[in-house]
Amino acid sequence: MQRSSGLVWQPSAVESRAKYTMTSVNEQEAIRKLMVFLQEWDNAHKVARSQILDNFIKSNDKKTEPDLELEFSQGASLFLARLTVWLRMTYTYSTCLSKLLRSIGIFLSAAGGCRYLTEFLQMGGLLVLLEILRLNHPSEEDKRESVKLLQLIADTGRMYKELICENYGVQSLTKFLATSNSAEAQKDVQVLLDCLGHENPKYQNQVYKGLIAVLPCASPGAQQLALQTLGNMQAVVGEAPAVLVEPVLGVLRSVHPEVQCAAIQLLKTLMSHKVRTTLLEGLVALLTPPRKEAIAGCIDTDKDPTSLCLRKPVLVYIQQAAAAKAIGELAKESAEVANELIQLRVVHGLIVAAGNLDHMASQRHASISLQDSAETWYTKINPLQAKELACNTVDIPGDMARMQPTGGCRPKGAVT
């Protein structure tokens, strides 16, 4: 701006001083409001603090670091420090723990707010988050919010993944995965474990073994997610340990189709690893369960002693059917696997399963794997034929070896 004389206008000392004074007054007012807010927090009891957290979450969700600093007059860290201290003091009994964790999450998730994460960790926040997962008092929602904060920490980089694992994070997470009743919480844990299992070479085997430990648990949701994550990690881990065999075959007893499906998918992945033969031997053995385990229970339809007795499939029969199904799918995908199964006398085991009148699923999946009028033939077997099948001692590898020198045609009904 120029005056009529042509000279460049410069603000006078008085104007500059006035502008500085106004800025200073505004800053002082903002600082005063911050101090009032912090004092209000410091003096508030549990109910009042809960209300403050509600307002904070509503007003500041998804804000960036500059936004939060503007909101708190460059003093956002002062409020974060108070939240972290209160978390450390009350996490064992707090009734508004999820609100507190969500409030801290606003800082940790703020774009450009890496320093908030550093400050939280320096105050011992990570150990508290992991301890929340171990306690019985916190609710499923509380623990889920803790997992979300751990995910924010892990996403920051390899060093932070290692920090979680160093502090027994894998044990805490896998235990929560196995015991949680919330499908949403279990999914959050699975995502975090998958994150910890990648780009974390120092602890990836610990994560892998932790997931194996989840497989015998009673939660089908946890079993399915653990199986899927093991499959995702297989390329990173390399050779599968022998300790994996028994738990994977064990989950074939599950009555939940989604668990069996996840187990079969993992078995397919493992066929390219050294553990393949051990797995195939285990699958073939499951086709002929021990007789004392395979005695089906009996329940009366009503109190009439002359009424029909319904047989209920026992877990070994469910496992037998799942093994037959897995064998069929594995053999279908690889001729090499199919040949190895034949050498392991799989045909005898499938014939035994096909003769199991107590469990139609065993008959169906075994017959499908045998590829002989698979969809319908088992429905026409009478008890005498079923007994004959169950006692069959066919030795396909031996028969094939004896026929090899003759160069003759393949015997009718032989399985390929």
Side-chain angles (χ1 to χ4, degrees):
M1 180 177 179
Q2 296 182 344
R3 293 184 182 275
S4 58
S5 62
L7 298 176
V8 177
W9 175 80
Q10 295 290 339
S12 66
V14 174
E15 290 174 317
S16 297
R17 196 158 47 247
K19 183 178 180 180
Y20 172 79
T21 301
M22 290 181 63
T23 302
S24 180
V25 169
N26 291 338
E27 290 178 350
Q28 290 177 3
E29 177 61 18
I31 293 173
R32 186 191 68 81
K33 289 182 178 179
L34 172 62
M35 300 310 295
V36 169
F37 171 79
L38 295 177
Q39 188 174 17
E40 178 185 359
W41 171 267
D42 292 340
N43 295 332
H45 295 291
K46 181 173 63 176
V47 175
R49 285 190 173 184
S50 178
Q51 184 61 48
I52 292 173
L53 293 178
D54 286 333
N55 295 335
F56 174 75
I57 294 170
K58 183 177 180 181
S59 304
N60 298 281
D61 190 29
K62 298 181 180 179
K63 280 190 175 181
T64 64
E65 186 267 351
D67 293 335
L68 289 171
E69 290 302 323
L70 181 62
E71 176 73 18
F72 287 92
S73 304
Q74 308 306 311
S77 293
L78 297 175
F79 187 48
L80 174 60
R82 282 165 168 77
L83 295 178
T84 307
V85 169
W86 197 39
L87 174 67
R88 292 183 59 182
M89 293 175 60
T90 65
Y91 73 93
T92 57
Y93 62 86
S94 176
T95 57
C96 61
L97 186 56
S98 60
K99 291 182 185 179
L100 181 53
L101 293 170
R102 281 199 297 270
S103 299
I104 293 173
I106 289 175
F107 286 98
L108 302 191
S109 63
C114 293
R115 67 188 182 94
Y116 297 145
L117 176 62
T118 301
E119 292 166 1
F120 179 71
L121 295 176
Q122 288 176 342
M123 297 185 68
L126 173 63
L127 297 178
V128 175
L129 296 179
L130 294 174
E131 186 64 22
I132 288 172
L133 298 180
R134 302 185 187 110
L135 297 176
N136 295 325
H137 163 72
S139 66
E140 292 267 328
E141 183 183 4
D142 296 335
K143 293 186 178 183
R144 188 183 179 194
E145 291 299 330
S146 180
V147 171
K148 289 179 180 178
L149 296 190
L150 289 168
Q151 183 71 64
L152 291 172
I153 295 172
D155 287 341
T156 307
R158 174 176 165 180
M159 180 179 71
Y160 296 95
K161 293 179 183 181
E162 292 181 351
L163 191 60
I164 292 173
C165 296
E166 287 170 2
N167 289 282
Y168 306 99
V170 174
Q171 292 90 326
S172 299
L173 289 166
T174 52
K175 180 180 178 181
F176 181 42
L177 174 62
T179 58
S180 174
N181 295 316
S182 166
E184 294 80 6
Q186 288 179 323
K187 182 60 179 177
D188 288 341
V189 174
Q190 185 250 354
V191 171
L192 177 53
L193 286 170
D194 189 68
C195 175
L196 295 174
H198 290 83
E199 298 180 2
N200 186 17
K202 187 176 180 180
Y203 290 101
Q204 64 189 21
N205 286 330
Q206 184 185 101
V207 177
Y208 190 86
K209 291 178 180 178
L211 290 164
I212 294 175
V214 173
L215 296 182
C217 78
S219 169
Q223 290 176 322
Q224 181 186 10
L225 293 172
L227 289 164
Q228 291 171 347
T229 311
L230 285 168
N232 294 340
M233 289 186 61
Q234 201 56 58
V236 177
V237 174
E239 287 302 331
V243 70
L244 175 66
V245 174
E246 185 176 348
V248 171
L249 296 180
V251 295
L252 293 178
R253 291 192 177 197
S254 173
V255 298
H256 300 273
E258 66 275 13
V259 176
Q260 291 189 5
C261 181
I264 292 174
Q265 289 303 314
L266 179 58
L267 287 171
K268 291 179 180 179
T269 301
L270 294 171
M271 288 299 100
S272 60
H273 296 267
K274 293 179 181 179
V275 76
R276 181 179 80 182
T277 298
T278 306
L279 285 169
L280 293 179
E281 289 173 346
L283 286 171
V284 172
L286 294 178
L287 296 174
T288 53
R291 180 172 295 274
K292 62 181 179 179
E293 288 188 42
I295 298 176
C298 188
I299 53 174
D300 291 333
T301 55
D302 53 42
K303 295 182 179 180
D304 184 358
T306 63
S307 64
L308 293 176
C309 187
L310 300 179
R311 292 191 177 276
K312 55 182 179 181
V314 292
L315 294 181
V316 289
Y317 286 166
I318 294 173
Q319 191 177 31
Q320 179 190 53
K325 180 179 180 181
I327 285 169
E329 294 193 20
L330 293 173
K332 190 174 182 179
E333 288 199 353
S334 169
E336 184 180 352
V337 169
N339 183 63
E340 186 170 351
L341 283 166
I342 289 175
Q343 299 305 314
L344 293 171
R345 301 188 69 243
V346 70
V347 175
H348 166 66
L350 288 172
I351 290 176
V352 171
N356 185 356
L357 294 181
D358 290 316
H359 195 47
M360 187 172 289
S362 290
Q363 294 181 288
R364 182 174 185 274
H365 290 305
S367 59
I368 289 174
S369 296
L370 287 167
Q371 299 182 3
D372 184 7
S373 301
E375 295 295 332
T376 59
W377 83 281
Y378 67 89
T379 63
K380 301 176 183 178
I381 298 177
N382 61 41
L384 183 61
Q385 292 170 324
K387 183 178 180 180
E388 183 178 347
L389 284 171
C391 297
N392 194 289
T393 57
V394 64
D395 185 1
I396 293 297
D399 293 342
M400 292 177 65
R402 285 191 293 272
M403 294 186 62
Q404 191 67 31
T406 67
C409 297
R410 186 175 60 199
K412 183 178 180 180
V415 179
T416 58

